[in-house]
C-alpha cells in the first residue's frame, strides 16, 4: 500500500511539473500525459489540469476568483483568489434565489388581488375598488381580463366611489442602488401589468368600468399585512391571481430576468416589514451568509438581480451558498431545475456544446461590462457531485472569458 501511495505521489509531482514544461521536455521524462492520467487518482489529475489554466494568457491582465467544491466528499478541490471580492453580475441571483427558498419556502406564491368595499346596487358599486399589487412580474393583461370578468359576474360596471391602485407593498424607489442610468433597468413597482407599472387610470380602462369617484394610487390605512401578503381590511375579495415561486424562479434563473429577480428580492424584504425596502432583504441575506459559516460583513450587497455596480461577493461565498442549498433538499430541489443547462437551455444554451459538460453543467451566468461569472453544479467522471464558482473581471472580450470558463467546466466533467 505504501508503495502504491508513493507511486501516486511521484506521478502527481511529475504531472504537476509537466504543466510547466514543454511537450519535448515532458517526452524526455519517458511518460506520456495519457499514461499519467490513467494512473493518477481523479482529484490530482483534475487539480493539475486546473492549475495549468491558472497560467492562461487571459489572466495576464484580468482578475480571477475560482473555487471548486466536492459535495460528495465535502471538501475543497481547488481554489485561487477565492476570497477576493469581485462583482458577481447576475450570479447575484443565486443569493437571491437561495435566500428566497430558504426564507419563503417552496410553496410561496406571488399574488395580485382585487377587492371591493361597500354595497352593490343594481350594476353600481356604492363603495371603492382596490387592486393590491404583490409585485408579481408575470402579471399581465390576461390577468386583468380575469379581474374584469369577475366584476362582470358580480354585475358591476360602475363605481360610485374610488378605484385604488395599491402599491404600498414596497417603497417608492424606482431604481436599485448602484444601477447605471443607461442600462436596461426593470420597473420596481408592486403593481405591474405586462412588466410596466400600472396606474389607477389604466386599471379603470382595462377593467371596463366607469369610476364616478377619484383615482388613488395608495391608501395605506386600508392595508392589512399578513406575512408577506397585503390585504384590504374588511373588504370582499373579488379575484386573486397567483404564481408559484417555482414559476418565477425558472424565468429568473434560466433567462436571467432582472425584473423577476427584483420581484423575488422584494418578496424577501416584505417578510421583514412594510413598505418593503432593499435593506430588509439584505438583513435576511446576511443571516443566510452567516449560516453558511462566513462573516456577512465582508461582503457588499445592493440588489437582487446583480445589475448594481455596488455588489461585491467572492467565489468562496458563492460556493458556500451552493453547498448550503445542496445540504438543504427543500432548497436544492427547487433551485436545481431553475438553473440553465449547458448546451440545452437558458443562457447556457449555446455554450459547451460537443463537450462532456453539455447536459451536465447546471449553472447561473453573470454578465456586466468587464465581468463574466459562472457558478453552479456538475457531476465529475467519478460520479462525485461538484459545485463551483468562476468570476472573471476586467476582461475586454466576454467571449474569451466565456471560452475560458467553458474549458474549466469541461475539465470538471471530463
Amino acid at each position: 500500500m505504501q508503495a502504491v501511495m508513493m507511486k501516486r505521489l511521484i506521478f502527481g509531482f511529475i504531472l504537476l511539473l509537466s504543466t510547466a514544461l514543454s511537450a519535448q521536455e515532458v517526452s524526455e521524462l519517458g511518460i506520456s500525459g495519457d499514461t499519467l492520467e490513467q494512473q493518477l487518482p481523479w482529484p490530482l489529475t483534475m487539480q493539475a489540469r486546473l492549475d495549468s489554466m491558472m497560467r492562461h494568457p487571459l489572466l495576464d491582465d484580468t482578475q480571477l476568483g475560482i473555487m471548486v467544491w466536492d459535495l460528495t466528499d465535502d471538501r475543497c478541490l481547488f481554489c485561487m483568489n477565492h476570497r477576493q471580492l469581485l462583482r458577481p453580475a447576475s450570479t447575484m441571483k443565486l443569493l437571491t434565489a437561495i435566500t428566497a427558498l430558504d426564507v419563503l419556502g417552496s410553496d410561496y406564491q406571488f399574488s395580485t388581488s382585487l377587492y371591493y368595499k361597500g354595497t352593490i346596487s343594481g350594476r353600481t358599486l356604492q363603495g371603492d375598488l382596490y387592486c393590491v399589487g404583490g409585485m408579481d412580474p408575470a402579471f399581465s393583461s390576461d390577468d386583468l381580463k380575469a379581474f374584469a370578468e369577475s366584476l362582470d359576474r358580480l354585475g358591476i360596471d360602475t363605481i360610485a366611489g374610488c378605484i385604488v391602485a395599491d402599491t404600498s407593498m414596497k417603497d417608492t424607489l424606482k431604481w436599485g442602488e448602484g444601477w447605471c442610468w443607461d442600462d436596461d433597468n426593470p420597473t420596481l413597482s408592486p403593481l405591474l401589468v405586462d412588466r410596466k407599472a400600472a396606474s389607477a387610470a389604466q386599471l379603470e380602462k382595462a377593467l371596463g368600468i366607469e369610476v364616478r369617484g377619484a383615482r388613488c394610487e395608495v391608501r395605506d390605512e386600508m392595508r392589512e399585512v399578513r406575512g408577506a401578503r397585503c390585504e384590504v381590511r374588511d373588504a370582499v375579495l373579488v379575484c386573486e391571481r397567483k404564481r408559484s415561486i417555482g414559476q418565477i424562479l425558472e424565468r429568473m434563473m434560466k433567462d436571467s430576468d432582472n425584473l423577476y429577480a427584483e420581484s423575488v428580492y422584494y418578496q424577501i424584504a416584505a417578510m421583514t416589514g412594510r413598505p418593503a425596502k432593499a435593506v430588509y432583504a439584505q438583513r435576511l441575506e446576511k443571516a443566510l451568509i452567516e449560516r453558511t459559516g462566513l462573516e456577512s460583513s465582508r461582503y457588499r450587497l445592493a440588489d437582487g438581480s446583480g445589475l448594481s455596480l455596488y455588489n461585491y461577493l467572492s467565489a468562496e461565498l458563492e460556493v458556500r451558498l451552493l453547498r448550503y442549498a445542496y445540504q438543504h433538499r427543500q432548497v436544492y430541489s427547487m433551485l436545481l431545475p431553475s438553473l440553465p443547462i449547458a448546451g440545452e437551455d437558458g443562457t447556457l444554451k449555446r455554450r459547451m456544446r460537443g463537450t462532456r459538460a453539455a447536459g451536465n453543467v447546471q449553472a447561473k451566468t453573470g454578465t456586466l461590462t468587464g465581468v463574466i461569472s459562472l457558478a453552479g453544479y456538475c457531476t465529475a467522471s467519478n460520479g462525485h457531485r461538484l459545485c463551483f464558482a468562476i468570476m472573471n473581471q476586467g476582461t475586454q472580450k466576454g467571449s474569451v472569458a466565456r471560452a475560458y470558463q467553458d474549458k474549466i467546466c469541461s475539465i470538471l466533467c471530463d
Side-chain angles (χ1 to χ4, degrees), residues 87-142:
R87 292 190 179 106
S90 280
T91 57
M92 189 74 180
K93 293 181 176 72
L94 283 169
L95 175 56
T96 304
I98 294 171
T99 303
L101 289 170
D102 199 48
V103 172
L104 303 176
S106 58
D107 295 329
Y108 185 82
Q109 293 183 316
F110 293 62
S111 66
T112 305
S113 308
L114 186 68
Y115 295 87
Y116 79 82
K117 293 184 71 172
T119 59
I120 301 173
S121 177
R123 296 189 65 84
T124 301
L125 171 64
Q126 302 292 337
D128 302 326
L129 194 64
Y130 303 84
C131 189
V132 182
M135 204 165 184
D136 176 1
F139 191 82
S140 69
S141 52
D142 287 338

Side-chain angles (χ1 to χ4, degrees), residues 42 356 360 379-384 412-414:
W42 163 75
R356 292 190 180 182
N360 185 338
T379 300
S381 59
N382 68 343
H384 283 213
L412 299 181
C413 300
D414 196 357

Side-chain angles (χ1 to χ4, degrees), residues 269-284:
M271 294 297 292
T272 298
R274 298 271 182 156
K277 300 179 181 180
V279 65
Y280 297 164
Q282 290 159 19
R283 288 172 187 169
L284 293 174

Side-chain angles (χ1 to χ4, degrees), residues 61-332:
D61 54 4
T62 64
Q63 294 173 280
L64 170 71
I66 180 173
M67 191 172 200
V68 180
W69 194 274
D70 187 330
L71 293 165
T72 304
D73 285 345
D74 199 23
R75 66 188 181 100
C76 179
L77 290 177
F78 188 87
C79 61
M80 177 75 71
N81 301 328
H82 57 294
R83 291 178 178 163
Q84 188 167 342
L85 296 180
L86 299 169
R87 292 190 179 106
S90 280
T91 57
M92 189 74 180
K93 293 181 176 72
L94 283 169
L95 175 56
T96 304
I98 294 171
T99 303
L101 289 170
D102 199 48
V103 172
L104 303 176
S106 58
D107 295 329
Y108 185 82
Q109 293 183 316
F110 293 62
S111 66
T112 305
S113 308
L114 186 68
Y115 295 87
Y116 79 82
K117 293 184 71 172
T119 59
I120 301 173
S121 177
R123 296 189 65 84
T124 301
L125 171 64
Q126 302 292 337
D128 302 326
L129 194 64
Y130 303 84
C131 189
V132 182
M135 204 165 184
D136 176 1
F139 191 82
S140 69
S141 52
D142 287 338
D143 294 303
L144 276 182
K145 287 180 182 178
F147 281 4
E149 290 169 358
S150 296
L151 286 174
D152 186 60
R153 284 193 292 270
L154 290 173
I156 298 173
D157 61 14
T158 304
I159 301 174
C162 302
I163 184 168
V164 180
D166 192 329
T167 58
S168 57
M169 173 194 171
K170 68 172 290 294
D171 58 24
T172 58
L173 295 179
K174 301 300 182 184
W175 281 13
E177 183 186 15
W179 286 6
C180 293
W181 66 269
D182 59 348
D183 211 338
D184 184 18
N185 298 313
T187 302
L188 298 184
S189 170
L191 187 53
L192 297 161
V193 179
D194 296 326
R195 302 179 67 92
K196 296 179 181 179
S199 66
Q202 290 172 314
L203 292 174
E204 177 184 348
K205 181 178 180 180
L207 294 175
I209 55 175
E210 179 185 351
V211 179
R212 295 176 180 172
R215 302 184 187 98
C216 179
E217 295 305 312
V218 181
R219 187 176 281 185
D220 285 339
E221 69 272 14
M222 297 299 178
R223 290 188 301 108
E224 182 175 2
V225 179
R226 295 186 179 182
R229 295 184 56 193
C230 183
E231 301 179 354
V232 180
R233 186 180 297 115
D234 301 325
V236 178
L237 179 63
V238 176
C239 186
E240 185 174 35
R241 303 293 281 182
K242 295 182 178 181
R243 231 78 58 176
S244 71
I245 192 170
Q247 291 174 294
I248 301 300
L249 284 181
E250 183 174 1
R251 179 162 177 173
M252 166 185 164
M253 303 300 274
K254 286 194 181 290
D255 297 341
S256 201
D257 193 301
N258 294 321
L259 173 61
Y260 279 55
E262 294 301 330
S263 296
V264 172
Y265 189 61
Y266 280 98
Q267 305 297 319
I268 298 169
M271 294 297 292
T272 298
R274 298 271 182 156
K277 300 179 181 180
V279 65
Y280 297 164
Q282 290 159 19
R283 288 172 187 169
L284 293 174
E285 287 179 329
K286 289 177 180 179
L288 172 62
I289 292 172
E290 295 288 339
R291 290 196 293 278
T292 69
L294 299 177
E295 295 181 12
S296 61
S297 59
R298 294 182 55 220
Y299 310 99
R300 180 73 163 83
L301 315 179
D303 68 4
S305 61
L307 278 172
S308 177
L309 298 180
Y310 298 166
N311 292 314
Y312 278 95
L313 307 184
S314 68
E316 179 185 39
L317 173 55
E318 292 193 341
V319 163
R320 288 291 191 100
L321 289 167
L322 291 166
R323 175 176 175 262
Y324 180 90
Y326 181 79
Q327 292 175 337
H328 293 77
R329 290 294 160 168
Q330 75 280 7
V331 176
Y332 185 68

